[in-house]
Amino acid sequence: MAEVEVREAAFDPGAELKAFRAPGAGAVVSFTGVVRGDGGLRLLEIEHWLGATEAAVAALAAEARGRFGLSAVRVVHRWGRMRPGDPIMMVLAAAPHRRAALDAADFLMDWLKSRAPFWK
């Protein structure tokens, strides 16, 4: 299963992890990105192109699923206004073995950080 959610509303990483289902998986890796307060940042605003961003992230999740043999994958990414400490994104990757889940989560995180169609 590949699930993608690009949303404005805040999310609860613990609830996301608890709801994540990966039948047959031997490993589930989760990563939550949090807005940093570097340089006195008090507010971060992220924009995106509705539809295009979701499609790009969904294609990435599908690529990760195939490339790493994932049982399930979920990506949640926020847009809009956020403050330091707010969760901004979460990646969940499940695979039969830990190395595949770890590598997939790393791949997804790097792509979201460097190439996803979001603008600050």
Side-chain angles (χ1 to χ4, degrees):
M1 168 190 343
E3 295 182 28
V4 169
E5 188 174 0
V6 176
R7 60 187 286 170
E8 185 175 18
F11 66 92
D12 177 349
E16 289 289 335
L17 181 58
K18 185 175 181 179
F20 187 64
R21 297 288 175 253
V28 173
V29 171
S30 69
F31 173 84
T32 303
V34 177
V35 177
R36 295 185 312 249
D38 295 354
L41 178 82
R42 290 191 273 187
L43 183 69
L44 173 67
E45 187 163 2
I46 293 188
E47 298 176 3
H48 75 103
W49 284 340
L50 183 63
T53 302
E54 292 88 340
V57 177
L60 169 73
E63 179 182 345
R65 184 181 174 111
R67 181 190 251 185
F68 299 99
L70 299 179
S71 306
V73 59
R74 178 158 170 76
V75 177
V76 180
H77 202 298
R78 288 191 60 202
W79 62 274
R81 294 180 175 196
M82 290 159 270
R83 301 199 179 285
D86 288 347
I88 188 171
M89 61 80 73
M90 184 172 196
V91 166
L92 297 139
H97 303 283
R98 72 176 180 264
R99 178 51 45 205
L102 288 163
D103 289 347
D106 189 50
F107 168 78
L108 290 161
M109 292 179 296
D110 282 349
W111 190 92
L112 287 166
K113 182 68 175 174
S114 64
R115 300 186 334 192
F118 293 99
W119 296 271
K120 297 177 183 178

